[in-house]
Amino acid sequence: MKFGKKTAFAALVAASALVFAGCAGGGDVIEEGSGGDTGSGDGEMYIAMVSKGFQHQFWQAVKKGAEEKAQELGVKITFEGPAAETEIAQQLEMLTAAIDKNPDAIAYAALDPEACVAPLEQAKSKDIPVVYFDAPCNGDVGLSLSATDSKVAGALAAEHMAELIGGEGEVAIVGHSQINSTGVERRDGFVEKIEADYPDIEIVDIQYGDGDHLKSADIAKTLIAAHPDLKGIYGTNEGSAIGVVNAANELGLEKGKITIVGFDSGAAQINAIKDGTMAGAITQDPIGIGAQVVQAAYDAANGDDVEEFYDTGSYWYDADNIEDDKIAAVLYE
């Protein structure tokens, strides 16, 4: 999608608004797998959210932010996502089911930016406004994206990696996706920053573990074995980073022997930073992402203008600043 400021679709008539089965009050959430029927026609605005997943703490934090904003606005939302971020077909089934329910708006985070084009054209044909969070779909259906600027965040990770290893040496990347935009941009932001500003640092390999702890750990162990002079590894999401941490622990490496830079938050990464296994990580503001996309969906459903991109920010955290108020506010366990 190419973002330009657009006027949102007009809201659907109140009689077509949908609500949850068995839920009461604004801001109720049906999670993945509930299969709830949302139709009751009580006139309350209904926003369908389809996430990349729900298993990582990041998505739980996004859901929390969405739920809080829904309560504030007095709207109802559903929040669904596949069991793993590789399950593109399951996510598309959820998206199609959401469109069939004729919500007032859809908020979507794309696992595959091409596979979602056709379903979202169906939403457009039904005059259902679509906004994105975390990662957009290609095409021209979406009105807005609420997300971290992932290339900026990847560059920030590169700057800290370079500082930590003294500006020279070999590093590797364990990525979570080479398809969806967050994986691509977090990788490219890191690579481009290293290549532009740190000529004495060599990126010796980039491998992809799909954000899975076990797969990412196996990749990290292989990288460490193949490159005995490796100084650092960058993991591009929570699952990737924890996989690298687990690999270091399973190999019995001395803390800090490999400089590990992660992405996202969660209890496991926070603990790894506090005990010295991980040097630091980039955190987003997932609660802010959830809140902002619900606001954008609400505005779009009401026919108000929405911005093409809401940058919710990225922040470096490590053992020195992890207790700072500004950082603590964007960490999640």
Side-chain angles (χ1 to χ4, degrees):
M1 131 175 222
K2 199 170 182 180
F3 290 104
K5 190 169 183 179
K6 305 169 184 172
T7 302
F9 293 103
L12 299 178
V13 294
S16 68
L18 303 174
V19 298
F20 301 146
C23 294
D28 294 322
V29 177
I30 295 177
E31 294 192 45
E32 184 277 336
S34 67
D37 179 3
T38 60
S40 76
D42 72 352
E44 189 170 16
M45 183 183 289
Y46 163 50
I47 297 166
M49 297 185 68
V50 181
S51 171
K52 289 181 180 178
F54 67 91
Q55 75 281 30
H56 290 158
Q57 291 303 309
F58 177 83
W59 298 116
Q60 293 297 315
V62 172
K63 186 184 78 171
K64 178 182 178 182
E67 181 176 10
E68 289 173 352
K69 178 57 71 171
Q71 292 278 4
E72 176 188 326
L73 296 174
V75 302
K76 293 187 176 181
I77 63 172
T78 49
F79 189 101
E80 298 181 289
E85 293 181 26
T86 54
E87 296 182 359
I88 295 169
Q90 184 183 3
Q91 190 196 40
L92 293 174
E93 289 173 5
M94 291 175 174
L95 175 59
T96 300
I99 294 167
D100 288 344
K101 293 173 183 176
N102 295 311
D104 293 283
I106 290 173
Y108 185 67
L111 282 174
D112 184 323
E114 290 294 339
C116 51
V117 172
L120 289 178
E121 285 291 341
Q122 181 187 4
K124 183 178 181 179
S125 73
K126 299 175 76 171
D127 289 337
I128 302 170
V130 175
V131 295
Y132 299 128
F133 62 105
D134 191 66
C137 183
N138 290 343
D140 61 358
V141 173
L143 300 171
S144 176
L145 171 64
S146 300
T148 302
D149 187 325
S150 292
K151 289 194 77 172
V152 169
L156 183 60
E159 290 176 5
H160 285 277
M161 174 68 83
E163 180 181 353
L164 288 162
I165 66 173
E168 61 181 9
E170 298 180 349
V171 299
I173 299 173
V174 177
H176 65 280
S177 175
Q178 52 186 325
I179 298 174
N180 74 59
S181 64
T182 59
V184 171
E185 291 173 5
R186 292 176 197 175
R187 175 199 69 198
D188 289 353
F190 185 94
V191 171
E192 290 169 10
K193 186 66 175 177
I194 292 295
E195 291 179 346
D197 293 348
Y198 305 102
D200 296 325
I201 297 177
E202 179 185 3
I203 299 172
V204 295
D205 205 353
I206 303 173
Q207 297 290 331
Y208 301 91
D210 299 325
D212 180 81
H213 293 182
L214 294 176
K215 187 173 180 180
S216 298
D218 288 342
I219 289 170
K221 285 186 278 190
T222 300
L223 289 170
I224 291 167
H227 303 281
D229 296 326
L230 194 66
K231 281 191 171 183
I233 301 178
Y234 164 51
T236 64
N237 78 344
E238 178 188 350
S240 305
I242 293 307
V244 178
V245 167
N246 291 344
N249 289 333
E250 290 165 17
L251 292 171
L253 298 182
E254 179 185 351
K255 294 183 189 303
K257 179 175 175 57
I258 298 286
T259 297
I260 302 171
V261 169
F263 208 107
D264 292 324
S265 184
Q269 283 198 89
I270 290 171
N271 291 337
I273 289 170
K274 287 181 175 179
D275 73 17
T277 307
M278 179 181 286
I282 305 298
T283 186
Q284 306 178 76
D285 182 3
I287 292 175
I289 290 172
Q292 181 58 65
V293 74
V294 169
Q295 181 68 61
Y298 175 84
D299 291 342
N302 281 319
D304 297 330
D305 285 355
V306 292
E307 296 294 330
E308 58 186 53
F309 180 54
Y310 297 98
D311 182 4
T312 52
S314 55
Y315 311 87
W316 169 260
Y317 69 104
D318 57 21
D320 292 331
N321 72 350
I322 200 167
E323 304 293 343
D324 291 356
D325 289 345
K326 181 178 179 180
I327 296 300
V330 292
L331 296 182
Y332 50 92
E333 297 190 8

